[in-house]
Structures are given as structure tokens and as C-alpha cells.
Amino acid sequence: MTLAASTYFQHLKAYINSDYVMHDGSDSKVILSEKYFRPEDVKPQERRVELLLPGPGMAFKLDHDDFEIAKKKSKPALFHFLDDNAKPWSRRCDFVIFYTSGRAFHADCIEFKSKSLTAEKIVPQLKAGACWVRSLKQTVEHYTGDTRRIRLRKFVFADNDNPGAYLDANRQLNADPSIRYYHFDEVDGQPLAALANTSVQEV
């Protein structure tokens, strides 16, 4: 059954494993955080980005911080019944935010990068994030009958101060025009729904 966006969100919230939820959308915002190392650092740094929501929402963190990966040497599988060793479904983007805006239901996939905007990691990681959203949607639909069109966008947030060589006139990545670039300073504290992206996929 096709549900209204707000109803679909409440159903999804009831179904998901809260272990992966980074922020529950309280106070009409989500806060994304990541710990990372720079070459000169002794201790990990923390990067935080706050994004305002137009309606109910929640943020998933699919990838682990770099220092956690180094410590544990492995990541928990997103699909526990599938072999996670170098398979396509072992890839993941950093964050996925689900939220409603009016009658629409949205999923924004977001990747954090320190400097580099080369396509080798950004493109497959955000593609994997979109695949995860499709897989989650289909799983919920198969088991419950709940369905809803999802408007999906892909973003990379980075602190590259000279990104021009990687971007087209709309600041979409040359390597994949479905991905929109923003500097961290441009998005922190901003309304998520107002972020521009010329590419919106319906899944």
C-alpha cells in the first residue's frame, strides 16, 4: 500500500535498527559527525555538520570513523546473510538522511571528504548508498506491503578550497553529475531541503 510521506516515515522509524541511527531528527535538525586523522594529528579530530529539517527526519551513519576501522580491522556487515568480503554491498557511504518535506519523502546520501575530490572513492561510495536505500525500501515493501516513492539525492561535503577542476558550472562532479559538491562551511546550519542539486532520482 502506498503511504503518505509522514506515515511512511513513522513506519520506517518503527522498523529500522536504531543502532545505525546517528540522530533522530529531534529539534527539527540532524547532526552528522565523523572522527578523522590528519597527517599531523596525534589524536583524532571531530567534524560536525548540523542540517535543519523541514519535517520529521533521521540520519543513519553507515560507515565507521577511520580510527574505529583501524582499531577493529573490520566493519559490521550491512547485509548479514551475504559475504561482505570485497563484494559490491560491502561498500557504503558515510550518511543517509531520511526526511519528509510536504507530501514528499526524501533520502539524501552524503559523503564526507577531507580534501580529495577524485572520483575513485566518492562515486562508488555514493552509488552504494543509493543501492542501500533501494534495498531497504524493497525489503520493507516485500515484508510489510508499505511503499512510497523516495526522492534521492547525492552529496559530497569536503574542505577542498580549490574544487573547480572537479566540478561543472552547477558544482556537480564532472565524474558523476548526479553528485553535488559543498564545502563544509557552506552547509553547516543550513536547511537540508534548500541545498541545490540538479539531479534527483526517484526510487
Side-chain angles (χ1 to χ4, degrees):
M1 176 184 294
T2 300
L3 303 177
S6 58
T7 304
Y8 187 80
F9 177 81
Q10 294 302 330
H11 284 212
L12 185 62
K13 188 176 180 180
Y15 300 146
I16 53 90
N17 181 345
S18 60
D19 289 347
Y20 282 95
V21 176
M22 162 156 269
H23 197 280
D24 63 2
S26 56
D27 299 325
S28 301
K29 65 184 179 184
V30 290
I31 298 174
L32 310 180
S33 67
E34 178 186 66
K35 292 184 178 178
Y36 64 101
F37 276 108
R38 297 173 301 183
E40 67 273 24
D41 291 334
V42 177
K43 296 182 178 179
Q45 306 294 309
E46 182 176 29
R47 179 179 289 118
R48 290 165 55 93
V49 172
E50 179 178 306
L51 297 164
L52 307 181
L53 299 174
M58 58 184 166
F60 281 77
K61 185 171 186 176
L62 300 184
D63 209 354
H64 279 211
D65 294 326
D66 288 345
F67 81 100
E68 291 177 343
I69 297 169
K71 185 178 179 181
K72 296 180 180 178
K73 304 293 184 185
S74 64
K75 308 175 188 179
L78 291 177
F79 302 95
H80 299 285
F81 289 96
L82 297 174
D83 179 12
D84 209 45
N85 185 22
K87 301 298 191 300
W89 45 83
S90 67
R91 286 187 177 273
R92 59 193 81 192
C93 67
D94 289 326
F95 306 99
V96 176
I97 304 174
F98 292 110
Y99 63 98
T100 66
S101 180
R103 296 182 177 180
F105 190 88
H106 297 260
D108 285 347
C109 300
I110 298 171
E111 185 70 18
F112 280 10
K113 290 296 178 192
S114 293
K115 292 290 184 184
S116 175
L117 291 176
T118 55
E120 287 76 11
K121 287 190 175 180
I122 295 172
V123 172
Q125 285 178 298
L126 284 169
K127 180 183 176 183
C131 291
W132 181 81
V133 171
R134 288 188 180 92
S135 300
L136 178 65
K137 177 181 184 292
Q138 291 296 321
T139 300
V140 169
E141 184 173 343
H142 288 320
Y143 280 90
T144 69
D146 296 349
T147 186
R148 176 76 203 177
R149 284 279 187 186
I150 298 176
R151 295 170 58 84
L152 185 145
R153 305 185 298 175
K154 293 184 279 188
F155 294 96
V156 57
F157 299 165
D159 56 8
N160 189 312
D161 292 322
N162 190 24
Y166 300 97
L167 309 178
D168 67 14
N170 294 313
R171 305 188 80 197
Q172 308 285 133
L173 255 60
N174 287 323
D176 184 342
S178 70
I179 301 170
R180 176 63 149 84
Y181 166 80
Y182 278 98
H183 193 283
F184 287 115
D185 293 342
E186 295 177 297
V187 295
D188 188 31
Q190 297 303 306
L192 178 58
L195 299 186
N197 192 326
T198 60
S199 177
V200 180
Q201 302 171 30
E202 285 211 345
V203 301

